[in-house]
Amino acid sequence: MHKPVHLLAAAAFLLPAAAGAEATRAAAREGSGLLRQLNGALSQLADRVSPAVVQVLVSGYGPAPAEDGHTAAAFIVRQHAVGSGVIVDPDGYIVTNAHVVQGAQRIAVVLPAAVDGTSVRQDSTRKRIYQAYLLGMHPESDMAVLKIDAKGLPALPLRDTALVKQGELVFAVGSPQGLASTMTMGVVSSAARQIGLDAPMLFIQTDAPINPGNSGGPLVNAEGEVVGINTFILSGSGGSDGLGFAVPAPVARFVYDGLRKHGYVHRVEIGISAQGITPELASGLELARDWGVVVSDVAPDGPAEKAGMRDGDVLEAVDGRRIDALPDLTAALYLAKTSLLQIRVLRGGETRNLSVRAVELNQSLDEMADFSNPDQHLVRQLGILALDVDDKVRQMVHLRRPRGVVVLARTLDGSSVNSGLLPGDTIHTLNRIPIESVDALRRGIDGRKRGEPVVLQVEREGRFRYLSFDME
């Protein structure tokens, strides 16, 4: 008599359970569909981005590592390094980090293998390794531009409008530890990070895993746009600790345009040193405020001194741009439209307006010579156009020595050695022999046998350095 009652009760109990199970299965199917969509989107992103990311192979000379892990400066050995780069123009223009190619004797670029579905196509008829030429470096932003002799390459253009926000999803692509076409995922930890109070630039900080070898590769957003160029990590272990930093795309674009067009980046100089203000600094110097930027040194007879600027002045504005931190001053000097800068400073409790006649660093080398007769300036074996340092050149470029040969441009001559020379360098000696003319430089190079070492003493940005290579 009671059995039907129990069956009805059981049926009533099972109905909601069955309905709940179906809802769970529906939710699982929906979740699985979302994961499949995400998986497909990430695969498409990799397919779109990876073909434009290259390996940069560098060989040169550097200090030998000692047994304690430090470097032994007394011993110089041939070194090899691997970095990354991104093709930003189909005609073979590549952006990478300056520290990747610093001191390079030879630079090679390896294009990624073509991928079709799940297999890698090995096309033996298509060249994948190219000799690269260094068009220019900008150590302050750690950027460099390379050129290879190729056309129609996949490219990821640099856009000066590609900005990021904190929390945005980003992907780092490169060759960590030499593993080509590696992509990692993370978020933007900070869209504008100043590493230290006296650091002149702002970086994108990300927790996307970045390791040695990623340097020079792109940081892209979910749309596949380059939002930054990966440049360094902060790590106690040498590997990724989730503290990676990239040069923001607008800065990378500005530097790239200057290096590609001129071999240098336009900037004016006013003859000061400046640093960020700390509360201790403000108290000890009795500054009017405990934040901002203070002038720590004024060059004798420089533009700032002539305009009346003094050490201890607090910078408030340059051409209407507020100066709250050193990156603001850096940007103002790079973006200056005229040489006459209107600078507002705070001295004591008083505001002063100064007109400073700035000087341009790296004056246009194109104006130094008439290129209608390139043979007059060409040093074919070095792959450069050069000019004798005469009175006209000395008026345009401040040199520590009055004689030498200034490098005007690089040529893309495949038969030339990769000497490491950059536009703006001034050659003073060749194997300790003074060089005072382009003809003397040609004779000195022509007199060297194949395999014989050559050491050039050059002046670069007011500092002397040696460039060494073997004749080929």
Side-chain angles (χ1 to χ4, degrees):
M1 293 289 294
H2 297 287
K3 187 174 183 179
V5 175
H6 290 300
L7 288 175
L8 288 173
F13 176 77
L14 289 173
L15 281 174
E22 180 58 32
T24 300
R25 286 193 292 270
R29 286 194 297 271
E30 182 179 355
S32 178
L34 291 175
L35 289 175
R36 283 196 296 272
Q37 291 178 28
L38 176 62
N39 184 64
L42 294 180
S43 296
Q44 291 176 12
L45 178 66
D47 289 342
R48 185 163 67 251
V49 171
S50 294
V53 182
V54 302
Q55 280 188 308
V56 179
L57 309 181
V58 175
S59 61
Y61 291 93
E67 294 181 359
D68 59 1
H70 295 86
T71 55
F75 298 95
I76 304 297
V77 298
R78 184 178 291 276
Q79 294 183 337
H80 301 274
V82 179
S84 303
V86 55
I87 303 170
V88 296
D89 187 292
D91 288 341
Y93 290 91
I94 297 167
V95 164
T96 186
N97 284 153
H99 78 260
V100 170
V101 295
Q102 181 75 44
Q105 185 180 12
R106 290 181 177 85
I107 305 173
V109 166
V110 182
L111 302 185
V115 178
D116 182 10
T118 59
S119 62
V120 178
R121 298 199 310 270
Q122 296 291 350
D123 187 352
S124 60
T125 63
R126 183 170 181 176
K127 188 176 182 182
R128 290 187 55 234
I129 302 179
Y130 291 82
Q131 180 182 2
Y133 299 87
L134 181 62
L135 297 186
M137 284 194 308
H138 187 242
E140 191 167 19
S141 64
D142 197 17
M143 294 279 294
V145 176
L146 308 177
K147 178 70 170 69
I148 62 174
D149 187 15
K151 300 282 187 180
L153 298 175
L156 295 174
L158 291 170
R159 295 187 176 91
D160 55 15
T161 56
L163 302 175
V164 292
K165 296 180 180 179
Q166 188 175 30
E168 185 175 345
L169 200 63
V170 287
F171 305 83
V173 189
S175 302
Q177 307 296 349
L179 302 173
S181 299
T182 296
M183 186 172 81
T184 58
M185 181 175 68
V187 299
V188 174
S189 305
S190 173
R193 176 71 72 196
Q194 188 179 11
I195 303 303
L197 186 63
D198 293 330
M201 284 187 56
L202 298 175
F203 295 91
I204 298 170
Q205 180 187 338
T206 178
D207 69 348
I210 295 175
N211 288 285
N214 271 112
S215 293
L219 187 71
V220 302
N221 61 15
E223 304 299 323
E225 297 175 312
V226 178
V227 296
I229 300 297
N230 301 318
T231 184
F232 70 98
I233 59 176
L234 293 180
S235 170
S237 63
S240 174
D241 288 344
L243 296 171
F245 298 87
V247 178
V251 176
R253 178 74 204 197
F254 180 81
V255 173
Y256 165 73
D257 287 342
L259 292 179
R260 176 171 173 174
K261 185 176 181 180
H262 303 294
Y264 65 90
V265 182
H266 165 84
R267 178 189 167 176
V268 298
E269 182 60 70
I270 58 176
I272 66 169
S273 295
Q275 60 189 86
I277 299 174
T278 63
E280 296 80 8
L281 200 63
S283 177
L285 296 179
E286 298 182 348
L287 301 179
R289 64 189 190 197
D290 62 359
W291 57 274
V293 176
V294 63
V295 176
S296 56
D297 183 37
V298 179
D301 298 322
E305 185 187 62
K306 292 177 181 177
M309 194 175 294
R310 301 177 186 174
D311 60 279
D313 285 350
V314 176
L315 296 173
E316 285 200 321
V318 175
D319 275 358
R321 178 187 292 269
R322 282 173 54 95
I323 306 299
D324 293 332
L326 272 178
D328 299 324
L329 176 60
T330 301
L333 296 179
Y334 276 108
L335 299 175
K337 301 300 183 183
T338 67
S339 60
L340 187 62
L341 303 182
Q342 302 303 319
I343 301 180
R344 188 172 71 248
V345 301
L346 190 62
R347 184 179 301 165
E350 183 182 351
T351 297
R352 296 172 180 263
N353 294 303
L354 307 175
S355 295
V356 181
R357 179 70 66 179
V359 295
E360 183 178 350
L361 295 180
N362 299 316
Q363 294 198 36
S364 177
L365 301 174
D366 298 340
E367 300 176 1
M368 290 188 183
D370 178 9
F371 287 96
S372 61
N373 183 16
D375 289 339
Q376 180 180 348
H377 308 289
L378 179 64
V379 184
R380 190 179 303 279
Q381 286 185 280
L382 295 181
I384 62 171
L385 296 175
L387 184 68
D388 298 352
V389 173
D390 55 16
D391 291 339
K392 179 181 178 181
V393 172
R394 282 189 288 269
Q395 290 176 2
M396 300 180 69
V397 180
H398 175 72
L399 297 174
R400 292 172 60 181
R401 290 182 186 172
R403 301 290 179 186
V405 171
V406 62
V407 178
L408 300 173
R410 296 285 303 271
T411 65
L412 298 180
D413 187 343
S415 64
S416 63
V417 298
N418 199 339
S419 62
L421 289 165
L422 296 175
D425 286 351
T426 301
I427 302 171
H428 290 296
T429 68
L430 188 157
N431 287 13
R432 303 179 65 182
I433 300 172
I435 298 296
E436 298 186 354
S437 69
V438 175
D439 286 339
L441 179 60
R442 287 198 197 98
R443 291 195 301 271
I445 291 295
D446 290 342
R448 305 293 157 181
K449 298 178 181 178
R450 182 182 178 89
E452 188 173 350
V454 172
V455 178
L456 301 176
Q457 184 191 46
V458 304
E459 185 175 341
R460 179 180 295 172
E461 297 180 350
R463 295 179 177 86
F464 292 115
R465 63 186 300 156
Y466 292 112
L467 299 178
S468 61
F469 54 91
D470 297 333
M471 291 303 301
E472 297 180 351

